[in-house]
Amino acid sequence: MKVEIWSDVVCPWCYIGKRRFEAALEQLEQKEKVEIEWKSFQLDPTTITNTEQTNAQYLSKKYGVSITEAEQMVSNVTQVAAGVGLTYDLEHAVIANTFRAHRLIHLAKRYNKQDEMKERLLKAYFTEAKNIDDTPTLITIGTELGIDADVTKEVLESDTYSEHVQTDIKEAQQIGVRGVPFFVFNRKYGISGAQETAVFKDTLDKAFAEWQADQLQIEVIDGDACTPEKGC
């Protein structure tokens, strides 16, 4: 069964939602039969990478709130993240456009390491305060996952996988995704936001049971056959 997840690399609730979903998946007896596909989404495609701007300054300008209010927003989400075992260092986070990072996630899919790449980029941004729009940084991350540095460099210096990112974003618009994270289970059920683990568990159970039932359905074309009624 496939679970598709739209999210952005700099979305604090996306990382929290990932952990809550993973906790629910761990409780599924046949979790190995669940395929996860990460879909690209940009909260703000117009973001310009700026290593001098603080997260609080960015949020203050984006939402029209004071620096103090922005700092409180950061503090609040940091506390929630800690509750699921994540360490956020948003005070030092580097404001960055995520388009190239999303392209790297699509590259990782080619190596069956999409989930690992997503996790590594989230950690790089939220915990390690790395610039996820920086070529050397992205090459290093790719190398850590076993992707050749020259391959990553070639992708980043071209338009490779740009169309894949745009397709994901357009698809999100088509199915009505207005915020992330957004989880789609078996193309039948959707969950918006970093819901509690119990919500993910209930939806996983329901979607998986229906998926299993679908796998067992056999279409039969009747023809001549021996049956007990025919005595043969």
Side-chain angles (χ1 to χ4, degrees):
M1 183 189 82
K2 180 179 283 190
V3 179
E4 298 158 288
I5 310 172
W6 276 265
S7 75
D8 201 357
V9 184
V10 296
C11 162
W13 290 104
C14 290
Y15 206 0
I16 294 167
K18 184 176 187 291
R19 280 294 182 271
R20 290 175 175 172
F21 168 76
E22 289 168 342
L25 184 60
E26 279 298 313
Q27 299 175 49
L28 188 69
E29 188 174 342
Q30 299 185 66
K31 61 184 179 182
E32 72 281 354
K33 292 185 178 180
V34 176
E35 175 190 354
I36 299 171
E37 181 177 1
W38 290 97
K39 299 280 195 174
S40 304
F41 189 95
Q42 284 194 286
L43 290 170
D44 186 358
T46 66
T47 296
I48 297 174
T49 300
N50 185 346
T51 59
E52 302 299 322
Q53 189 178 38
T54 68
N55 197 268
Q57 290 172 336
Y58 172 78
L59 293 174
S60 173
K61 182 178 180 180
K62 182 177 180 179
Y63 295 110
V65 298
S66 68
I67 292 293
T68 301
E69 290 173 314
E71 289 174 341
Q72 187 59 54
M73 291 166 62
V74 169
S75 176
N76 290 342
V77 76
T78 298
Q79 290 180 32
V80 176
V84 293
L86 296 172
T87 301
Y88 280 6
D89 183 15
L90 288 171
E91 181 181 349
H92 299 101
V94 178
I95 303 304
N97 188 289
T98 60
F99 193 84
R100 299 170 84 234
H102 282 298
R103 289 169 58 213
L104 196 61
I105 294 171
H106 279 284
L107 169 63
K109 184 178 180 181
R110 198 167 91 193
Y111 297 87
N112 295 316
K113 293 185 177 181
Q114 196 186 37
D115 192 64
E116 292 94 325
M117 180 62 77
K118 183 70 175 186
E119 176 69 26
R120 188 64 190 89
L121 287 167
L122 287 166
K123 182 180 180 181
Y125 179 78
F126 286 102
T127 301
E128 301 172 344
K130 293 184 181 296
N131 181 355
I132 57 166
D133 189 32
D134 176 64
T135 296
T137 298
L138 294 176
I139 290 175
T140 298
I141 289 174
T143 302
E144 289 176 9
L145 298 184
I147 301 175
D148 186 86
D150 289 337
V151 172
T152 303
K153 186 172 185 291
E154 182 180 350
V155 167
L156 294 174
E157 291 181 349
S158 67
D159 289 329
T160 306
Y161 298 114
S162 293
E163 185 176 346
H164 293 68
V165 176
Q166 295 290 3
T167 296
D168 285 350
I169 293 172
K170 289 177 181 177
E171 188 176 11
Q173 294 170 345
Q174 290 169 354
I175 65 174
V177 177
R178 299 189 179 186
V180 288
F182 194 89
F183 302 75
V184 175
F185 300 76
N186 200 28
R187 285 281 160 161
K188 292 185 69 176
Y189 302 103
I191 290 181
S192 178
Q195 301 285 347
E196 295 296 331
T197 296
V199 176
F200 285 116
K201 179 63 167 57
D202 288 345
T203 308
L204 261 175
D205 287 343
K206 184 177 182 179
F208 189 80
E210 292 181 5
W211 174 81
Q212 273 192 314
D214 289 341
Q215 304 309 300
L216 296 174
Q217 288 181 357
I218 302 174
E219 183 177 344
V220 177
I221 300 175
D222 288 324
D224 292 330
C226 283
T227 66
E229 291 78 11
K230 292 180 179 179
C232 66

